[in-house]
Amino acid sequence: MARTTFDQLLQAGCHFGHMKRKWNPAMAPYIYTERNGIHIIDLHKTVMKIDEAAEALKNIARQGKRILFVGTKKQTKEVIAEKATSINMPYVIERWPGGMLTNFPTIRKAVKKMANIDKLMSDGTFGNLSKRELLQVTRQRAKLEKNLGSIADMTRQPSALFVVDVMKENIAVREANRLGIPVFGIVDTNSDPKNIDFVIPANDDAKDSVEVILNACCAAIAEGIEERKAEKADEKALEAQQESKIGRASCRERV
């Protein structure tokens, strides 16, 4: 598994925290110094924490489990969507739907409603609707797609959350904590790391900072997925080999 280096993090601006007056004292262990009123994050610790998170994410993916990526900030949501899509994982980059985790069956009903609209549109059922009614249905479908389209294939609760800006996405974090779902989070100097299982101390506002961390974590997840595929292939080959041996033994018995 390729490691993210100190220099990569430095170049991406991962070390820039918030202004000193906005800090959360619980982040003190991850702060290196203060410069011009801004806290500087200790990137040596960030490297170590990325490695820990990446290894844990790889293990989750190797078990065939799903990781939900969450980040609704304008400047980082595109990169979150891109990276999550590249490894076929669900993500939320618009408003967090309250109860996404704690009231998951209701969210699934909304996703099914979107699928039903698609079905009725394709089979011609909506052909008799007036233009106004059709417009209303189309708008409803577009709203559902915007908020839930990225989790349409998430048929069960995720096994982990990866959160960018744990303070902004505090509702998602609280829901995961309540259900015992582990939380991986990029945590800036103004945030509380207390409820985050895997803390990655870093600048959570800059696109480059978020991207370099996601690159490392998503690469680890991709490795886990590939290892699972290889294990499955080995199992199938072993089963076929055993069946072949049984078949040959059966033939010899008949002779």
Side-chain angles (χ1 to χ4, degrees):
M1 190 165 63
R3 292 190 72 206
T4 303
T5 66
F6 181 97
D7 288 342
Q8 285 175 314
L9 296 177
L10 187 68
Q11 195 171 354
C14 295
H15 56 298
F16 292 119
H18 280 265
M19 295 183 73
K20 187 178 177 180
R21 60 185 171 83
K22 290 185 177 181
W23 83 311
N24 189 311
M27 284 298 288
Y30 304 109
I31 294 171
Y32 174 67
T33 188
E34 174 250 321
R35 195 171 297 156
N36 299 324
I38 293 171
H39 274 133
I40 303 299
I41 294 164
D42 186 342
L43 292 184
H44 290 293
K45 291 186 178 177
T46 305
V47 168
M48 182 179 70
K49 289 296 185 179
I50 289 173
D51 287 347
E52 286 177 10
E55 188 61 38
L57 288 164
K58 179 181 174 181
N59 288 333
I60 291 169
R62 191 164 52 210
Q63 294 169 49
K65 295 177 179 178
R66 308 279 274 161
I67 298 146
L68 176 62
F69 287 77
V70 184
T72 60
K73 271 198 298 205
K74 187 178 178 181
Q75 64 267 39
T76 57
K77 63 183 187 179
E78 280 184 18
V79 71
I80 293 167
E82 180 194 333
K83 300 302 174 187
T85 302
S86 71
I87 50 171
N88 196 29
M89 290 292 174
Y91 58 90
V92 173
I93 57 169
E94 300 300 333
R95 182 184 65 84
W96 174 264
M100 164 82 85
L101 301 177
T102 52
N103 195 13
F104 190 69
T106 301
I107 299 297
R108 283 305 303 165
K109 281 179 187 175
V111 171
K112 284 177 183 174
K113 188 174 185 180
M114 187 167 64
N116 287 337
I117 291 173
D118 289 344
K119 184 181 176 183
L120 294 172
M121 280 183 166
S122 63
D123 68 12
T125 305
F126 286 159
N128 298 324
L129 293 181
S130 67
K131 283 186 178 179
R132 186 167 175 272
E133 288 171 327
L134 189 60
L135 182 62
Q136 286 176 336
V137 171
T138 305
R139 281 177 177 168
Q140 185 185 30
R141 171 67 178 78
K143 187 177 179 181
L144 287 168
E145 175 63 39
K146 182 180 180 183
N147 292 321
L148 303 174
S150 58
I151 60 155
D153 64 346
M154 194 173 76
T155 55
R156 62 181 67 183
Q157 287 174 341
S159 295
L161 244 63
F162 190 104
V163 179
V164 177
D165 192 339
V166 299
M167 189 161 76
K168 182 174 174 59
E169 314 303 340
N170 67 91
I171 297 172
V173 171
R174 283 206 305 270
E175 287 190 32
N177 290 159
R178 186 173 161 188
L179 295 171
I181 296 171
V183 179
F184 296 74
I186 298 179
V187 187
D188 213 325
T189 57
N190 65 333
S191 302
D192 188 354
K194 182 177 64 181
N195 296 318
I196 310 304
D197 300 278
F198 291 86
V199 175
I200 301 174
N203 178 352
D204 63 13
D205 290 308
K207 180 184 173 183
D208 288 349
S209 172
V210 171
E211 186 169 15
V212 73
I213 293 167
L214 283 179
N215 280 342
C217 292
C218 289
I221 293 169
E223 274 186 41
I225 292 169
E226 288 306 312
E227 284 182 14
R228 179 174 173 79
K229 285 179 183 174
E231 286 169 9
K232 289 281 186 185
D234 289 344
E235 283 173 16
K236 283 185 179 178
L238 186 60
E239 283 173 15
Q241 194 177 24
Q242 287 172 342
E243 283 174 9
S244 177
K245 283 180 181 177
I246 292 167
R248 288 198 299 271
S250 178
C251 286
R252 282 198 297 270
E253 283 173 14
R254 282 199 291 270
V255 169

